[in-house]
Every structure is written in C-alpha cells, then in structure tokens.
Amino acid sequence: MATDAPPPSKEERPLPSAEEFSEVQQSAEFAELRRSFRSFAFPLTIAFVAWYLLYVLLSNYAGGFMGTKLFGNINVAFVFGIAQFVTTFLIAWWYSRFAAAKLDPKAEAIKSRMEGGA
C-alpha cells in the first residue's frame, strides 16, 4: 500500500522541558482548548447523568408508569432502556465530530509547536 507521506525522520528530537510544558499550559491557546472541551463535555455529562438517574428513579419508584404497555410486549421501561443505549452512541458520535472539528486542530497546533514544527 503506497502513501504520499514521506517516511518518518530517523533523527530524534529532544523532548520539551518541564518549563516549556508549563509555558504552554499557561498560554491562551491551551486555555481556549480546555475551555472548548469543558463547555462541551461538562453540560453533556450532567445532562446524561440526569437522564440516567431519571431512568433509575422511575424504574424504582414509578413501576406502574414504567410497566405501561405501549404496543405488544413493549413497555415504557423497555423503550427508556433502549433509549439509554441510543443516547450513549449519539453522544459518542457527537463528541467525535466536535473533537475532530474543534479540539483536534487546536491540539495539533499546540503539539506541532511543542515538537518544534512551528
């Protein structure tokens, strides 16, 4: 399988020093990367945990409601349970798209600068 990419360099680059890591950590660029991640991840995590706890609480304390048959042998609890899986996969897909579009370019810019490429 042929690629257009050049072969990796054989020369070893020195690792960044602790001071360089601290400098990057204090930079506005890194702060923006952290802010972007947190503004996406924290609200979504809180919403998902609340949704999960709602499911658990309804399962424990609202058995009549959760046992309500919707069609055939399918009840509300089953639909909510399947919705937990669907929600998990949707969040993973959404985060993957968000990270590829917003986080990865910022992280790659920081990484290349740290490795001496910029």
Side-chain angles (χ1 to χ4, degrees):
M1 173 165 61
T3 63
D4 293 333
S9 173
K10 298 275 188 209
E11 67 184 63
E12 288 193 28
R13 294 183 183 165
L15 293 176
S17 67
E19 293 80 22
E20 290 171 314
F21 276 111
S22 293
E23 181 182 315
V24 168
Q25 185 179 12
Q26 301 302 321
S27 72
E29 187 179 24
F30 189 75
E32 174 61 25
L33 176 62
R34 276 193 320 221
R35 189 199 63 73
S36 295
F37 170 75
R38 288 177 180 168
S39 68
F40 183 88
F42 286 172
L44 204 54
T45 300
I46 291 167
F48 183 78
V49 169
W51 159 233
Y52 176 74
L53 289 176
L54 174 68
Y55 173 68
V56 170
L57 291 172
L58 287 174
S59 294
N60 282 321
Y61 300 110
F65 169 70
M66 295 295 271
T68 303
K69 290 195 180 220
L70 299 175
F71 48 91
N73 287 330
I74 306 299
N75 61 17
V76 173
F78 182 77
V79 171
F80 275 26
I82 294 298
Q84 290 287 316
F85 287 102
V86 171
T87 304
T88 301
F89 288 112
L90 285 175
I91 289 171
W93 171 78
W94 190 15
Y95 176 76
S96 174
R97 289 178 49 98
F98 173 79
K102 306 283 184 191
L103 302 179
D104 292 350
K106 293 175 186 177
E108 187 60 37
I110 293 169
K111 177 184 172 204
S112 66
R113 194 175 73 237
M114 287 291 291
E115 291 177 346

